[in-house]
Amino acid sequence: MAAFQPLLAMRNRFSQSRWRETIIPDSVTTRAVIFAPHGRDAAVARMLLEGAGVQSVICENIGEFESRLDENACFALVTEEALRFADLRGVGVRVAAQPTWSDLPFIILTHRTTASERSSGATALHEISGNVTLLERPFRPATFVSVIRTIFKGRQRQFEARDHIEELHESEERLRTALLAGHLGAWELNLKTRALTASSVCRAVFGRALDEPFPIQDVWRRICRHDRRRMWRALRVTLAENSDLAVECGHCWPDGSLHWAEIRARLVWDRCGGHPCLVGVCSDVTDRRMGQEALARLNEALEQRVTARTAELKEAHAAVLVEISEKERAQEQLRQAQKMEMIGQLTGGVAHDFNNLLMAVMGNLDVLRKHLPDDPRLTRLINGALQGAQRGAALTQRLLAFARRQDLKAEPRNLADIVRGATDLIERSAGSHIELRLDLPSAIPPTLVDANQMELAVLNLVINARDAMPDGGRLSIAIDQVDRPATDETRGGRFVRLIVSDTGHGMDAQTLQRATEPFFSTKELGKGTGLGLSMVQGLALQLNGAFRLTSQVGRGTQAELLLPVTRAIVREEKPLQNETKEKSGKMTILVVDDDALIAMSTVCMLEDLGHDVIEANSGARALEILRNDPSVDLMVTDYSMPKMNGGELAVAAREIRPHLPILLATGYADIPPGSPVSLPRISKPYRQDQLEAEIAKALRQPLGRKAS
């Protein structure tokens, strides 16, 4: 305490503002760490430091002292007595763990002794830190002020160095992010030594891996000859005028393919004005150049065609009008194709609603056909309308398959047996000019599939492979069993894999990336809907599997369909021989649907079959009818309804009538968990004969029998 008496007297002589101005600016906040064995010494030290505008914290023990030695500490003030019996190993660890910019200063208040009498604690701390100031007691107040000011300025420079390092790091990260976002590769060329430094993106632009040698001589040699001369002229202008370099050049990759790169650079000198370097970026503009060249060729061909056509049809004005009409029609088809591309993003919901509309059309036409007079012309018109509606239903199935919303009847089946059963259809679809190879082993575990949808998926893959081999080739279909780890696309486990490969012209990377998009097709207009591969992918995802495409231009395409193995037992299919269709007698049927158009269609079909029909437009109304009318023999309900869907209605109806047969009508596969999915279901749109057959099946189910 006696050592601090001169400082206390000095502090009493100066005001607090004068003292703070002498040591630390008001705009700076600092923190000193104090460790003294006597509480009064620590309190006096804190009082003096706070009078100088220095915030401080007093440590009660060596452990707290260690924990306070962090980046926010400005300096540490410790008495020699505190270090006498202290274990400084923890302090040494904290000091050694400082960032590179930090060198935390220590002030040790010692007694005036010879160097040989210095305490071991002070000596140990000096060896640990190296940045230690010894202040012998008693000392003058001016000495204390000078030491604090010097240490504070040194620490502030360390903080400024830290801020500069962090700013430099953030700037580098932002620059790296901007280069990655713009697909730009950074490079630097020393014009004196001709040493080329390039990033991984820059190397990739020139077809080189990160670990491959990348000398400037090889880059220059692979640039196209005419572009090499043009690039040399631009480089000379940059060196002479100190202007920016901006040039595009074609270059050959090591595999012989031609690519295009855009190169931009600026001349940079060192601090002494010597050793010039070119620092810049490059990007791959191959797709853009190929598109420009294709457009130029197309424009040239179009100009030649217009010139030839004009010469041929100069004398006939009518033929010119026909040509203009054809051109307008082609433009209209292009606009329609662009619209379809946008519609493809709305496939799920649109297809589901379209199913409901087709339900009303097909049901009403089916009943209307039976009650019209025997007029061949009217019959032909109705049949044509029905065929059109059925085509629309097939299209919605593909759309729903892509959106994973079609109603699947998945059951354990042997995938090899399904493909083997469709061999005749596959051979006819492939054609005689295609060599067909099948590898369908019998010992394949079962998987949950919808047999009809799977046959359609295989045929889609076969037709795509056939179209890729117009001059003939080899089509291979194989099935095997693989184990796959879990990925973002599929869960891990054992899978049955269907492989369809061909030796056709293949696809480039851009086409392969878009191959499974809905409505995307490389076929001519009118020769494909662009829904085949998207339907296969949607089916695979709906069956908890995966669909993968690999292709190389000129070497063919391989499609892999992965489906998880199931432990369910495969049901043996018994041939239906001499089966007679069951016809139910007259019944009272409750029809529930919130869409009046669809309800009217279903009611008409049922009444035409001879049944009495009661109509309800909501689940609440249907339950009221079931409570008050015991004559209802069967209920046909839509699934997707507001407030109470068909699944919830079925549960509530079974509480009122436990043995009531219920038929669920839906065109939507995403039925939430907990819904009575075991109920008989009929997929929209359906026809009268399908409705009659499904009613008969519903009556045969155990829950469909009335209580005796």
Side-chain angles (χ1 to χ4, degrees), residues 2-7 48 109-110 112 135-145:
F4 289 103
Q5 292 302 326
L7 287 179
L48 294 175
L109 300 181
T110 67
R112 181 169 296 176
L135 189 59
E136 294 183 348
R137 297 172 288 185
F139 47 79
R140 295 177 60 193
T143 303
F144 184 76
V145 171

Side-chain angles (χ1 to χ4, degrees), residues 340-621:
M340 293 299 288
E341 180 75 17
M342 297 175 62
I343 293 175
Q345 307 303 321
L346 306 173
T347 52
V350 172
H352 179 243
D353 294 340
F354 192 43
N355 253 346
N356 288 337
L357 298 177
L358 289 174
M359 173 67 237
V361 173
M362 292 176 63
N364 291 331
L365 288 174
D366 211 7
V367 175
L368 183 62
R369 182 175 57 176
K370 295 175 61 176
H371 293 277
L372 282 177
D374 190 11
D375 187 338
R377 182 172 179 273
L378 293 178
T379 302
R380 184 170 62 254
L381 292 175
I382 292 178
N383 288 338
L386 276 172
Q387 290 177 4
Q390 289 170 351
R391 289 184 181 181
L395 178 60
T396 57
Q397 286 300 315
R398 291 190 176 186
L399 293 173
L400 288 171
F402 167 74
R404 288 175 277 167
R405 294 182 176 182
Q406 87 275 30
D407 188 12
L408 293 181
K409 297 181 180 179
E411 56 184 0
R413 294 290 301 272
N414 187 308
L415 190 57
D417 292 342
I418 295 176
V419 177
R420 197 177 291 112
T423 303
D424 292 340
L425 186 56
I426 291 174
E427 291 177 348
R428 288 196 299 270
S429 300
S432 58
H433 66 294
I434 302 296
E435 177 187 354
L436 182 62
R437 293 185 180 181
L438 301 178
D439 183 9
L440 308 174
S442 301
I444 290 294
T447 182
L448 290 174
V449 296
D450 185 316
N452 294 330
Q453 292 291 338
M454 185 55 61
E455 288 181 0
L456 180 59
V458 173
L459 288 178
N460 275 321
L461 296 177
V462 169
I463 291 172
N464 281 345
R466 178 201 66 191
D467 294 342
M469 299 182 290
D471 300 326
R474 182 173 65 254
L475 171 63
S476 301
I477 302 177
I479 295 177
D480 60 7
Q481 179 181 344
V482 294
D483 293 326
R484 291 293 178 91
T487 64
D488 294 339
E489 299 176 355
T490 59
R491 61 187 183 187
R494 184 163 296 178
F495 292 85
V496 175
R497 180 174 62 174
L498 170 68
I499 306 172
V500 179
S501 57
D502 62 68
T503 58
H505 48 65
M507 294 180 283
D508 56 23
Q510 184 178 3
T511 304
L512 183 63
Q513 185 178 5
R514 300 191 60 194
T516 56
E517 291 183 8
F519 301 100
F520 176 77
S521 176
T522 58
K523 301 177 183 179
E524 298 178 8
L525 187 64
K527 293 189 176 181
T529 62
L531 288 172
L533 293 178
S534 62
M535 171 264 178
V536 178
Q537 184 183 48
L539 176 65
L541 294 176
Q542 193 170 355
L543 293 174
N544 297 321
F547 178 63
R548 299 173 182 171
L549 280 176
T550 56
S551 183
Q552 293 184 9
V553 176
R555 303 187 66 177
T557 302
Q558 177 173 297
E560 294 184 12
L561 182 61
L562 295 169
L563 298 176
V565 172
T566 181
R567 295 184 179 180
I569 301 175
V570 178
R571 179 178 58 85
E572 296 184 0
E573 295 186 357
K574 298 180 180 180
L576 302 176
Q577 297 179 353
N578 301 326
E579 181 181 357
T580 59
K581 187 194 324 185
E582 296 187 21
K583 290 188 176 291
S584 55
K586 182 176 181 180
M587 296 184 298
T588 299
I589 300 177
L590 174 61
V591 175
V592 186
D593 202 309
D594 62 311
D595 192 318
L597 193 63
I598 299 175
M600 180 185 69
S601 175
T602 304
V603 168
C604 291
M605 286 191 288
L606 292 173
E607 288 179 345
D608 185 65
L609 291 173
H611 302 298
D612 293 332
V613 183
I614 303 175
E615 184 179 351
N617 59 1
S618 66
R621 176 57 181 160

Side-chain angles (χ1 to χ4, degrees), residues 191-257:
L191 296 179
K192 182 178 180 181
T193 63
R194 295 192 177 183
L196 177 62
T197 304
S199 66
S200 58
V201 177
C202 177
R203 291 170 176 266
V205 170
F206 290 91
R208 297 300 182 91
L210 185 60
D211 56 349
E212 291 186 61
F214 194 57
I216 185 60
Q217 295 82 358
D218 185 59
V219 176
W220 188 262
R221 180 173 55 85
R222 292 186 176 276
I223 294 177
C224 297
R225 182 172 302 174
H226 58 282
D227 289 336
R228 196 182 306 164
R229 291 193 296 267
R230 184 165 51 86
M231 191 171 182
W232 177 247
R233 289 194 298 267
L235 183 59
R236 285 190 297 181
V237 172
T238 298
L239 295 175
E241 302 178 1
N242 196 17
S243 59
D244 292 345
L245 175 68
V247 64
E248 287 187 6
C249 63
H251 57 92
C252 291
W253 277 17
D255 60 4
S257 58

Side-chain angles (χ1 to χ4, degrees), residues 588-592 614-632 656-657:
T588 299
I589 300 177
L590 174 61
V591 175
V592 186
I614 303 175
E615 184 179 351
N617 59 1
S618 66
R621 176 57 181 160
L623 294 176
E624 181 182 351
I625 293 173
L626 290 176
R627 293 190 187 96
N628 300 327
D629 192 347
S631 65
V632 176
I656 301 173
R657 299 275 298 276

